[in-house]
Amino acid sequence: MFKIEEVIKLLSVMFLVAIVTPVNGGGLGSLLKTGESIIGENTVGLNSDLLNSLTSQLGVTESQAAGGTGALLAMASQNLSDKDSSLLNSIIPAELSSPLTSQMLNQITDIAGVQQAFSALGLDVSMVQQFVPIIIQYLTANGGSSLADSLTKIWS
């Protein structure tokens, strides 16, 4: 039996993925699989320092923090060099890079895509610029200081 919090997370993720996934991009089965993997048994990672920072500092839910971060990371992956993208992928928690980001990766290439994802999560688009310094601070503290300038430019 699902807890109400898990149902809310699933619905949020399903809504986000439905917005950013092409109509013929896997159908409802793929969408449900993505949502289940995010709220399934491997939710331990959802309590990462990064998500805790976002939820406590910005007053967003865990699913909003994960989805917003995923959107920003998807955009970054499209715009960073291979070397920087590899470093980014080695630092961020697995639940933020996959499968949510992999579903969005081809769809979010610019800030407009990130803003659309934030809206789908129930976040005001102005929250994008509130997420950025927190994510950069997390990356810098975890060996990604060389990414700070590139990400600041990409996400501004």
Side-chain angles (χ1 to χ4, degrees), residues 33-67:
K33 202 176 251 188
T34 299
E36 288 169 359
S37 67
I38 289 174
I39 67 159
E41 294 178 17
N42 295 325
T43 58
V44 174
L46 286 176
N47 294 317
S48 74
D49 291 338
L50 175 57
L51 295 185
N52 286 337
S53 293
L54 290 164
T55 58
S56 66
Q57 292 179 40
L58 302 179
V60 297
T61 66
E62 281 185 6
S63 58
Q64 289 173 321

Side-chain angles (χ1 to χ4, degrees), residues 50 53-54 57-58 69 72-73 76 80 87-88 91-92 128-156:
L50 175 57
S53 293
L54 290 164
Q57 292 179 40
L58 302 179
T69 300
L72 284 162
L73 296 175
L80 288 172
L87 176 59
L88 179 64
I91 297 170
I92 51 174
V128 171
Q129 293 309 313
Q130 293 179 36
F131 271 61
V132 170
I134 296 169
I135 295 170
I136 290 176
Q137 179 182 16
Y138 175 83
L139 291 169
T140 300
N142 288 282
S145 59
S146 63
L147 298 171
D149 288 339
S150 296
L151 291 174
T152 300
K153 288 175 187 170
I154 290 169
W155 290 336
S156 55

Side-chain angles (χ1 to χ4, degrees), residues 94-105:
E95 80 279 354
L96 297 179
S97 63
S98 171
L100 184 61
T101 302
S102 65
Q103 287 289 322
M104 298 185 317
L105 195 56

